[in-house]
Amino acid sequence: MGEKFPEIEGGGSLILAWQVRNKKVLVVGGGEVAAGRILNLLNADAKVTLISPRDGLNPEVAHRIEQKQVEYHDRKFLPSDLDDPAIVMVLTAIDEPDDSTVIWKLCKEKRIAANIADVPPECDFYFGSVHRDGPLQIMVSTNGNGPKMANIVRRRIAATLPPNIGEAIAKVGALRRKLRAVAPGNEQGPKRMQWMSKVCVTWSLEDLCDMEERDMDELLQSYAPNQIPTFEQVRLGEQPGSWEFDGSFGWACVI
């Protein structure tokens, strides 16, 4: 047939952005690893329930408890802790391998996704090394082979990114929300996506960072005729039809 398709390369993970906002996640353990897990969950607006004896709590974990950022139970894990049907995820970070395996098996019986720290075979998912800049999140995963290597690779990637890319993406997100209000119908979906892509390719990173709400409103006037003015034309208030796209491209922003 002459067509070439990507070769299958097994052994990877399906990397997803798991939305846990307002969902209940159970964390067992209160050490340094648990502190990192809890921070990731709170950044994702999850409702965190923590089970761990108070003795030996990591200072950061103790702070989360003191600030009532988590629901805390000062004791060891009990099988009945998994009876709550609202729990969507369980994370363990304890030093007792046998106890961790028990929790893993209980989670499998109840079909609850679980991550047993430092035991890759007992994980439904892995935590990668994450770079965060506002709405931008970049995760590097080694599929459980080398967490430290993931951290090194993530730092190298982050060092190559423009310092204001997070702000630019936030502005693009605001523009997308405005566009959906202007053209809300499902039939408008393909056109919305195509038009937003053209904006991201045509406007430079600096343009996107400097874009204000009035610029967004002005730019949206070009949606109906499916045209893309330059940032300067928008600032000058030129009307659609008074300019032509010259084929030049600025910074490429892939959202």
Side-chain angles (χ1 to χ4, degrees):
M1 294 175 61
E3 294 184 79
K4 290 187 177 181
F5 300 100
E7 294 292 332
I8 304 301
E9 185 178 355
S13 297
L14 182 62
I15 296 181
L16 305 170
W18 195 338
Q19 298 298 310
V20 293
R21 180 180 294 109
N22 296 324
K23 295 180 180 179
K24 192 168 186 177
V25 179
L26 179 65
V27 178
V28 182
E32 182 179 356
V33 173
R37 300 287 197 259
I38 292 169
L39 177 61
N40 287 335
L41 291 169
L42 293 177
N43 282 339
D45 301 321
K47 294 181 178 179
V48 180
T49 297
L50 171 65
I51 297 175
S52 179
R54 190 171 292 275
D55 292 343
L57 282 179
N58 174 276
E60 182 177 340
V61 174
H63 171 75
R64 304 297 176 201
I65 295 170
E66 181 182 346
Q67 296 299 311
K68 301 187 184 303
Q69 296 172 343
V70 301
E71 177 186 326
Y72 176 56
H73 300 279
D74 180 8
R75 58 173 173 78
K76 288 191 173 183
F77 171 85
L78 298 172
S80 59
D81 290 323
L82 297 180
D83 290 343
D84 185 347
I87 295 174
V88 299
M89 181 188 300
V90 173
L91 312 177
T92 75
I94 56 179
D95 296 328
E96 298 83 5
D98 291 341
D99 292 345
S100 292
T101 297
V102 169
I103 297 173
W104 163 255
K105 291 180 178 178
L106 288 170
C107 288
K108 294 304 94 191
E109 291 176 5
K110 293 182 176 292
R111 298 185 178 182
I112 301 174
N115 175 280
I116 310 303
D118 205 30
V119 188
E122 297 182 352
C123 291
D124 290 310
F125 55 91
Y126 303 122
F127 283 89
S129 184
V130 177
H131 171 73
R132 177 78 183 270
D133 183 357
L136 174 65
Q137 290 180 267
I138 299 173
M139 189 186 86
V140 178
S141 172
T142 60
N143 288 298
N145 287 284
K148 185 60 180 179
M149 284 300 300
N151 183 272
I152 292 172
V153 173
R154 186 262 300 170
R155 289 179 180 275
R156 288 201 178 186
I157 292 173
T160 67
L161 297 173
N164 52 353
I165 190 170
E167 182 181 359
I169 291 173
K171 296 286 184 70
V172 168
L175 179 62
R176 286 187 66 191
R177 290 188 290 274
K178 282 179 169 288
L179 175 58
R180 186 170 288 275
V182 170
N186 291 334
E187 72 282 356
Q188 291 288 323
K191 182 181 177 181
R192 284 197 306 262
M193 293 177 62
Q194 182 186 56
W195 187 82
M196 281 299 310
S197 295
K198 289 180 181 179
V199 171
C200 290
V201 171
T202 306
W203 284 31
S204 71
L205 175 61
E206 290 72 25
D207 292 341
L208 295 170
C209 287
D210 291 340
M211 181 170 56
E212 299 176 359
E213 188 166 352
R214 60 186 176 88
D215 299 320
M216 297 181 195
D217 294 336
E218 189 74 25
L219 175 59
L220 287 170
Q221 294 184 35
S222 69
Y223 172 74
N226 199 21
Q227 296 174 302
I228 308 297
T230 65
F231 180 74
E232 290 74 17
Q233 288 167 333
V234 166
R235 278 291 168 92
L236 291 173
E238 296 182 5
Q239 297 300 311
S242 62
W243 25 259
E244 295 181 358
F245 177 57
D246 63 4
S248 63
F249 294 90
W251 177 81
C253 171
V254 180
I255 306 300

